Amino acid sequence: MKDLWKDREFSPMLLREVDKPFNSKEHIFEVKFDGIRAVIFVNRNSIYVQSRNKNDLTKFFPELDSIRSIVNKNVIFDGEIVQLVDGKPSFSELQKRIRVRSKSRIESMSKINPVNFVAFDILYEDEDLTGKTLLERKDYLDMYCDNEVFVKSKVIENDGVKLFDSVKKLGLEGIVAKDKKGLYNINKRTDDFIKIKNKQRDEFFVGGYELKKNGILSLALGEYKDGSFYYVGNASISKNSKIYDSIIKLKKDRNYFCDIDNDIIYIKPNISCHVEYLERTKNGLLRHPIVKDFLNKE
């Protein structure tokens, strides 16, 4: 393998997903924060923040420069950039940070409400650490002190179910289970890291659709509030869905949504479905909606 410090063309280890939390003596458990996954290349003289997709994020988060003060070697941290609002991670607020292009505005936002970098792994400390076990890497990570932006992820032993229950009560994104003996697999998704998301589930109605080139139907979903029909976002279904043909054959109708007027095919919102999603944004839209089943049709 190339020198990780010199070769920045790699992606961090990814997580497989399971539906239910579990207890295990072979795993540690951590809170899954809703932010931007990033690896940070840092030494006393420089810092480089790279997204999971290998994009340079350094200029967007100048407050992370203070991480240089806690290291004396060439180090690569793996973790999550998190924007807290009222003590809870807010992905929508974090998105605003990476849309800003004005240098003076970036500096201002970094001081008004700085992000945190929640470090949960270390890949390099003057040498490649990816061949060491998770617990060995955690020992290396524990040598670094938290500061105003750098925070080490807290670890829970054995009891993933209890942690997941706490996460649900707090409305956080989910938890991660990690094999204590697991190695760090660059550019791979393995069972050594497992995520369990705190998904919400509600009923919504299909008010229209758009037929994509690949045959996928992008459904415009809505809900009734105070007698009006409000748009909540889009979710896709494939040709394999049992209701796919039924939706295509429905008579085109007027736009029942009170808050959008998009260039789509509108139908009467008689078809409802259960949708899983992570959270709702401030304007009521669903994040990562997935249609699970349909409840009725014309």
Side-chain angles (χ1 to χ4, degrees):
M1 182 183 290
K2 295 181 180 179
D3 187 337
L4 293 181
W5 181 257
K6 296 178 181 178
D7 175 28
R8 295 174 178 174
E9 291 300 311
F10 67 85
S11 297
M13 183 173 170
L14 299 179
L15 299 83
R16 295 200 188 278
E17 184 173 354
V18 300
D19 291 330
K20 295 181 180 180
F22 58 91
N23 297 330
S24 170
K25 293 181 179 180
E26 285 74 44
H27 292 77
I28 61 169
F29 300 89
E30 298 171 304
V31 172
K32 188 178 189 304
F33 289 96
D34 194 8
I36 297 174
R37 180 81 178 274
V39 286
I40 293 184
F41 301 75
V42 60
N43 58 26
R44 277 287 181 178
N45 300 314
S46 67
I47 184 168
Y48 180 80
V49 184
Q50 180 173 290
S51 76
R52 189 182 76 177
N53 298 319
K54 305 173 188 176
N55 296 319
D56 182 359
L57 303 178
T58 312
K59 66 181 180 181
F60 297 109
F61 305 106
E63 62 267 45
L64 296 182
D65 189 66
S66 69
I67 296 175
R68 291 193 298 116
S69 67
I70 69 172
V71 302
N72 290 304
K73 301 179 180 180
N74 293 330
V75 179
I76 304 176
F77 293 115
D78 185 7
E80 198 88 4
I81 300 172
V82 177
Q83 181 82 70
L84 296 178
V85 176
D86 297 327
K88 292 178 62 175
S90 172
F91 187 74
S92 60
E93 290 300 311
L94 188 59
Q95 281 186 311
K96 294 178 183 178
R97 290 290 303 271
I98 60 176
R99 292 178 183 143
V100 178
R101 293 296 180 265
S102 165
K103 187 174 181 180
S104 60
R105 180 63 176 154
I106 289 173
E107 286 287 346
S108 175
M109 294 179 77
S110 72
K111 294 174 182 176
I112 293 172
N113 189 14
V115 298
N116 288 110
F117 179 72
V118 181
F120 47 70
D121 216 325
I122 181 169
L123 286 61
Y124 193 94
E125 190 187 70
D126 276 350
E127 65 175 346
D128 189 348
L129 303 179
T130 58
K132 297 184 181 297
T133 68
L134 173 64
L135 290 188
E136 288 173 330
R137 299 196 309 275
K138 285 289 190 182
D139 286 339
Y140 278 85
L141 184 60
D142 286 342
M143 298 298 291
Y144 293 89
C145 298
D146 292 357
N147 68 10
E148 63 271 20
V149 298
F150 180 90
V151 182
K152 295 188 295 294
S153 176
K154 291 181 172 56
V155 171
I156 299 297
E157 297 275 355
N158 306 327
D159 202 340
V161 175
K162 185 177 180 179
L163 179 61
F164 188 78
D165 289 342
S166 298
V167 160
K168 288 190 70 172
K169 291 177 182 177
L170 294 171
L172 300 178
E173 186 183 9
I175 67 171
V176 177
K178 299 179 179 179
D179 189 327
K180 293 178 179 179
K181 296 180 180 179
L183 308 183
Y184 194 101
N185 293 279
I186 294 289
N187 299 321
K188 292 182 180 179
R189 189 187 302 273
T190 78
D191 289 330
D192 289 343
F193 281 14
I194 300 171
K195 59 185 175 182
I196 306 100
K197 291 185 177 181
N198 175 24
K199 296 176 181 177
Q200 301 184 57
R201 183 183 177 105
D202 284 307
E203 178 182 355
F204 299 99
F205 292 84
V206 181
Y209 65 87
E210 182 180 3
L211 182 59
K212 301 293 186 178
K213 291 182 179 180
N214 55 5
I216 297 294
L217 275 189
S218 179
L219 306 180
L221 305 175
E223 64 181 348
Y224 288 99
K225 290 192 299 184
D226 301 323
S228 296
F229 190 55
Y230 290 88
Y231 173 74
V232 298
N234 279 60
S236 297
I237 61 171
S238 70
K239 289 183 178 181
N240 296 327
S241 173
K242 293 180 180 179
I243 205 167
Y244 183 97
D245 291 334
S246 298
I247 292 176
I248 294 288
K249 293 176 182 178
L250 284 175
K251 181 181 177 181
K252 296 179 184 179
D253 210 318
R254 67 176 178 86
N255 178 9
Y256 285 82
F257 293 103
C258 66
D259 54 347
I260 64 164
D261 188 16
N262 297 338
D263 185 19
I264 63 174
I265 297 172
Y266 291 100
I267 59 176
K268 191 172 183 180
N270 286 338
I271 296 177
S272 65
C273 54
H274 280 140
V275 177
E276 283 187 351
Y277 58 97
L278 288 184
E279 65 169 359
R280 302 190 72 155
T281 64
K282 286 185 177 179
N283 55 359
L285 298 181
L286 310 179
R287 279 196 59 217
H288 301 302
I290 299 174
V291 175
K292 302 305 293 184
D293 55 65
F294 289 89
L295 305 179
N296 59 287
K297 62 181 180 179
E298 291 189 333

